[in-house]
Amino acid sequence: MLSSVLKSETAIRVNITIMRAFVAARQILMGNAGLISRISGVEAKLVDHDRKLDEVFEAMDRGELKSKGLFYNNQEFDAYVFVCNLIRRAKKRIVLVDRYVDEKVLAMMLKRGEGVSVTIYTYDKSKKRC
């Protein structure tokens, strides 16, 4: 404000520089308005997803999901049942790539049909690396 009141050559140059800075800032903001809008939309979606996840975790803490299962879009989703159904529907072979294969996975493979081969690629936990 002082640069606009003073009449010296330096004050005029400072005033012009300040105005150019404000014009450049406005151009940057206007040029990136679409990007800013998209980022705001992504932030809103993340907040909504966080809220939904919090609801699921709170329901789990209250023990509400143990007997009902986990629901997605009003459909019950049970990973164990889903995988067992996939195994039962296999016609020729099953190829499993899983870093954490345990006895439960092997027991599920017993549900495959006759003549269906199983190949499991896993991580050898017993090897120690130095």
Side-chain angles (χ1 to χ4, degrees), residues 4 9 14-15 17 21-22 52 61 67 77 79 89 96 98 109 122:
S4 64
E9 189 68 31
V14 169
N15 196 8
T17 303
F22 276 110
K52 289 177 181 177
D61 289 342
S67 62
F77 178 78
R89 287 190 298 204
L96 176 65
D98 189 344
M109 291 301 162
T122 189

Side-chain angles (χ1 to χ4, degrees), residues 23-128:
V23 168
R26 186 181 66 199
Q27 288 173 342
I28 289 170
L29 288 174
M30 295 300 287
N32 294 316
L35 179 62
I36 292 170
S37 175
R38 289 177 65 191
I39 289 171
S40 295
V42 168
E43 286 177 334
K45 287 180 183 179
L46 287 174
V47 168
D48 187 47
H49 288 295
D50 286 346
R51 182 188 54 78
K52 289 177 181 177
L53 283 173
D54 286 341
E55 289 176 12
V56 169
F57 289 133
E58 288 170 8
M60 288 171 68
D61 289 342
R62 291 189 302 265
E64 294 177 2
L65 296 180
K66 290 179 183 173
S67 62
K68 296 178 183 177
L70 186 62
F71 290 83
Y72 176 74
N73 285 345
N74 297 324
Q75 295 178 342
E76 186 172 349
F77 178 78
D78 184 341
Y80 178 80
V81 171
F82 176 76
V83 171
C84 287
N85 286 337
L86 280 178
I87 292 168
R88 285 188 186 105
R89 287 190 298 204
K91 302 287 185 212
K92 293 181 181 178
R93 67 181 172 172
I94 299 169
V95 178
L96 176 65
V97 180
D98 189 344
R99 188 175 177 142
Y100 303 102
V101 173
D102 61 5
E103 300 85 24
K104 291 178 187 176
V105 174
L106 298 175
M108 285 193 305
M109 291 301 162
L110 294 175
K111 299 179 184 309
R112 72 186 190 277
E114 191 174 325
V116 176
S117 67
V118 176
T119 305
I120 299 175
Y121 296 97
T122 189
Y123 174 74
D124 185 0
K125 299 176 198 174
S126 65
K127 288 185 181 178
K128 293 187 180 185

